[in-house]
Each structure stands twice: as C-alpha cells, then as structure tokens.
Short mmCIF file of all heavy atoms in Angstrom, two decimals:
data_model
loop_
_atom_site.label_atom_id
_atom_site.label_comp_id
_atom_site.label_asym_id
_atom_site.label_seq_id
_atom_site.Cartn_x
_atom_site.Cartn_y
_atom_site.Cartn_z
N ILE A 1329 0.82 -1.21 0.01
CA ILE A 1329 0.00 0.00 0.03
C ILE A 1329 0.87 1.24 0.01
O ILE A 1329 0.58 2.24 -0.71
CB ILE A 1329 -0.94 -0.02 1.23
CG1 ILE A 1329 -1.86 -1.21 1.13
CG2 ILE A 1329 -1.71 1.32 1.33
CD1 ILE A 1329 -2.82 -1.32 2.31
N ALA A 1330 1.92 1.19 0.79
CA ALA A 1330 2.83 2.36 0.85
C ALA A 1330 3.41 2.70 -0.50
O ALA A 1330 3.51 3.84 -0.94
CB ALA A 1330 3.93 2.16 1.88
N CYS A 1331 3.81 1.63 -1.20
CA CYS A 1331 4.50 1.82 -2.47
C CYS A 1331 3.50 2.12 -3.63
O CYS A 1331 3.91 2.45 -4.73
CB CYS A 1331 5.33 0.59 -2.85
SG CYS A 1331 6.73 0.33 -1.80
N SER A 1332 2.19 1.95 -3.35
CA SER A 1332 1.23 2.20 -4.38
C SER A 1332 0.86 3.70 -4.50
O SER A 1332 0.18 4.11 -5.40
CB SER A 1332 -0.09 1.44 -4.12
OG SER A 1332 -0.69 1.86 -2.94
N VAL A 1333 1.37 4.48 -3.55
CA VAL A 1333 1.07 5.93 -3.57
C VAL A 1333 1.98 6.60 -4.55
O VAL A 1333 3.19 6.44 -4.54
CB VAL A 1333 1.32 6.49 -2.15
CG1 VAL A 1333 1.06 8.00 -2.13
CG2 VAL A 1333 0.45 5.81 -1.10
N PRO A 1334 1.40 7.40 -5.52
CA PRO A 1334 2.23 8.05 -6.47
C PRO A 1334 3.17 9.07 -5.81
O PRO A 1334 2.80 9.76 -4.85
CB PRO A 1334 1.18 8.79 -7.36
CG PRO A 1334 -0.08 8.07 -7.12
CD PRO A 1334 -0.02 7.59 -5.70
N HIS A 1335 4.40 9.12 -6.31
CA HIS A 1335 5.37 10.03 -5.74
C HIS A 1335 6.30 10.49 -6.85
O HIS A 1335 6.52 9.79 -7.80
CB HIS A 1335 6.16 9.34 -4.59
CG HIS A 1335 6.90 10.33 -3.77
ND1 HIS A 1335 8.23 10.67 -4.01
CD2 HIS A 1335 6.55 10.97 -2.66
CE1 HIS A 1335 8.63 11.52 -3.11
NE2 HIS A 1335 7.66 11.76 -2.25
N LYS A 1336 6.87 11.65 -6.63
CA LYS A 1336 7.72 12.22 -7.67
C LYS A 1336 8.95 11.38 -7.90
O LYS A 1336 9.57 11.39 -8.91
CB LYS A 1336 8.09 13.65 -7.30
CG LYS A 1336 8.87 13.74 -5.95
CD LYS A 1336 9.19 15.18 -5.59
CE LYS A 1336 9.92 15.26 -4.27
NZ LYS A 1336 10.23 16.64 -3.90
N ASP A 1337 9.41 10.68 -6.87
CA ASP A 1337 10.55 9.80 -6.99
C ASP A 1337 10.15 8.45 -7.52
O ASP A 1337 9.40 7.72 -6.90
CB ASP A 1337 11.21 9.61 -5.61
CG ASP A 1337 12.56 8.88 -5.72
OD1 ASP A 1337 12.86 8.40 -6.82
OD2 ASP A 1337 13.27 8.80 -4.73
N ALA A 1338 10.55 8.11 -8.73
CA ALA A 1338 10.10 6.87 -9.38
C ALA A 1338 10.71 5.60 -8.77
O ALA A 1338 10.24 4.53 -8.99
CB ALA A 1338 10.45 6.89 -10.88
N ASN A 1339 11.79 5.74 -7.95
CA ASN A 1339 12.49 4.55 -7.44
C ASN A 1339 12.26 4.43 -5.90
O ASN A 1339 13.11 3.88 -5.21
CB ASN A 1339 13.99 4.67 -7.70
CG ASN A 1339 14.27 4.76 -9.16
OD1 ASN A 1339 13.68 4.03 -9.94
ND2 ASN A 1339 15.19 5.66 -9.59
N VAL A 1340 11.16 4.87 -5.40
CA VAL A 1340 10.96 4.91 -3.97
C VAL A 1340 10.78 3.53 -3.37
O VAL A 1340 10.97 3.36 -2.18
CB VAL A 1340 9.74 5.75 -3.60
CG1 VAL A 1340 9.99 7.21 -3.95
CG2 VAL A 1340 8.52 5.28 -4.31
N CYS A 1341 10.37 2.53 -4.17
CA CYS A 1341 10.07 1.24 -3.57
C CYS A 1341 10.93 0.10 -4.10
O CYS A 1341 10.47 -1.03 -4.18
CB CYS A 1341 8.59 0.92 -3.76
SG CYS A 1341 7.52 1.95 -2.75
N GLN A 1342 12.10 0.36 -4.48
CA GLN A 1342 12.99 -0.70 -4.92
C GLN A 1342 13.40 -1.52 -3.72
O GLN A 1342 13.64 -1.01 -2.66
CB GLN A 1342 14.24 -0.14 -5.62
CG GLN A 1342 13.92 0.49 -7.00
CD GLN A 1342 15.15 0.96 -7.66
OE1 GLN A 1342 16.24 1.04 -7.08
NE2 GLN A 1342 15.05 1.31 -8.93
N SER A 1343 13.49 -2.83 -3.92
CA SER A 1343 13.92 -3.70 -2.83
C SER A 1343 15.37 -3.42 -2.43
O SER A 1343 16.20 -3.12 -3.31
CB SER A 1343 13.81 -5.16 -3.22
OG SER A 1343 12.44 -5.44 -3.52
N PRO A 1344 15.67 -3.45 -1.15
CA PRO A 1344 17.06 -3.14 -0.76
C PRO A 1344 18.03 -4.20 -1.22
O PRO A 1344 17.68 -5.36 -1.22
CB PRO A 1344 16.96 -3.11 0.80
CG PRO A 1344 15.76 -3.97 1.07
CD PRO A 1344 14.82 -3.77 -0.02
N LYS A 1345 19.21 -3.76 -1.65
CA LYS A 1345 20.21 -4.70 -2.11
C LYS A 1345 21.11 -5.21 -0.94
O LYS A 1345 21.87 -6.13 -1.13
CB LYS A 1345 21.10 -3.99 -3.14
CG LYS A 1345 20.30 -3.58 -4.40
CD LYS A 1345 21.21 -2.91 -5.40
CE LYS A 1345 20.43 -2.48 -6.64
NZ LYS A 1345 21.29 -1.80 -7.64
N SER A 1346 20.95 -4.55 0.17
CA SER A 1346 21.76 -4.99 1.36
C SER A 1346 20.95 -4.76 2.57
O SER A 1346 19.90 -4.11 2.57
CB SER A 1346 23.05 -4.20 1.42
OG SER A 1346 22.78 -2.80 1.62
N ALA A 1347 21.38 -5.33 3.62
CA ALA A 1347 20.70 -5.20 4.90
C ALA A 1347 21.49 -4.39 5.94
O ALA A 1347 21.44 -4.58 7.11
CB ALA A 1347 20.36 -6.58 5.50
N VAL A 1348 22.26 -3.42 5.41
CA VAL A 1348 23.07 -2.59 6.30
C VAL A 1348 22.15 -1.64 7.10
O VAL A 1348 21.28 -1.01 6.57
CB VAL A 1348 24.08 -1.72 5.44
CG1 VAL A 1348 24.86 -0.77 6.33
CG2 VAL A 1348 24.99 -2.65 4.70
N ILE A 1349 22.34 -1.64 8.42
CA ILE A 1349 21.58 -0.81 9.29
C ILE A 1349 22.22 0.53 9.40
O ILE A 1349 23.40 0.67 9.73
CB ILE A 1349 21.44 -1.43 10.68
CG1 ILE A 1349 20.74 -2.83 10.58
CG2 ILE A 1349 20.62 -0.56 11.61
CD1 ILE A 1349 19.35 -2.76 10.05
N PHE A 1350 21.39 1.57 9.15
CA PHE A 1350 21.89 2.94 9.23
C PHE A 1350 21.51 3.50 10.59
O PHE A 1350 20.35 3.56 10.93
CB PHE A 1350 21.23 3.81 8.12
CG PHE A 1350 21.58 5.28 8.22
CD1 PHE A 1350 22.83 5.73 7.91
CD2 PHE A 1350 20.64 6.18 8.70
CE1 PHE A 1350 23.15 7.09 8.04
CE2 PHE A 1350 20.94 7.52 8.79
CZ PHE A 1350 22.19 7.97 8.49
N GLN A 1351 22.51 3.83 11.36
CA GLN A 1351 22.27 4.36 12.72
C GLN A 1351 22.87 5.78 12.79
O GLN A 1351 24.06 5.97 12.56
CB GLN A 1351 22.89 3.48 13.80
CG GLN A 1351 22.23 2.11 13.88
CD GLN A 1351 22.81 1.26 15.03
OE1 GLN A 1351 23.89 1.55 15.41
NE2 GLN A 1351 22.06 0.30 15.44
N ASP A 1352 22.01 6.71 13.09
CA ASP A 1352 22.45 8.11 13.25
C ASP A 1352 22.32 8.44 14.71
O ASP A 1352 21.23 8.66 15.28
CB ASP A 1352 21.54 9.01 12.42
CG ASP A 1352 22.01 10.43 12.44
OD1 ASP A 1352 23.02 10.70 13.11
OD2 ASP A 1352 21.37 11.33 11.82
#
C-alpha cells in the first residue's frame, strides 16, 4: 500500500540490495 502511492521519486520502492543498518 505504501508503494502504491504516487510520488515524484520513481524509485521509492525498490527492494534493498543490502541489509546494512543505518544508525544516526
């Protein structure tokens, strides 16, 4: 459902290529 929402960014729902956790 989240990825079915139109957005200006065409690549918003590509599957991740890695499982690196980003911690800020």
Side-chain angles (χ1 to χ4, degrees):
I1329 296 178
C1331 292
S1332 65
V1333 179
H1335 194 270
K1336 62 183 180 180
D1337 188 352
N1339 300 317
V1340 294
C1341 289
Q1342 289 182 350
S1343 299
K1345 298 180 180 179
S1346 63
V1348 176
I1349 300 297
F1350 173 74
Q1351 295 184 337
D1352 185 0

